[in-house]
Amino acid sequence: MYEMWAEHDPAVSPPAVVWHVMAKDDASASLCGRLLEPSQRVVPAMDGEAPAAPDRYCDPCLLTVREALAATGQ
């Protein structure tokens, strides 16, 4: 199973959150190769009270997961 990691994406306007897939062998890197800083991690509010920033998923991370699942026949 893979873990997802959300962080603010400084490259887009208005501000958004991007979800990366964590590498299984390195908890500080995503599958796309981005080094992730714990201080930049976003933990979405689950209470529904705080306004949620738009979010998206890292395409290179998801492509790597898709390829890994295809290789194992899942």
Side-chain angles (χ1 to χ4, degrees):
M1 182 179 299
Y2 289 96
E3 179 183 352
M4 301 293 289
W5 176 298
E7 68 175 358
H8 289 288
D9 186 351
V12 298
S13 181
V17 172
V18 63
W19 289 87
H20 291 280
V21 180
M22 300 299 295
K24 288 184 176 183
D25 59 342
D26 183 356
S28 66
S30 66
L31 294 181
C32 68
R34 181 169 171 79
L35 294 178
L36 302 170
E37 294 290 331
S39 64
Q40 300 297 324
R41 189 170 192 170
V42 173
V43 179
M46 301 306 282
D47 60 10
E49 302 223 356
D55 60 355
R56 62 183 187 83
Y57 296 89
C58 175
D59 290 334
C61 282
L62 294 181
L63 179 61
T64 302
V65 170
R66 186 178 303 126
E67 290 171 348
L69 290 176
T72 61
Q74 294 189 12

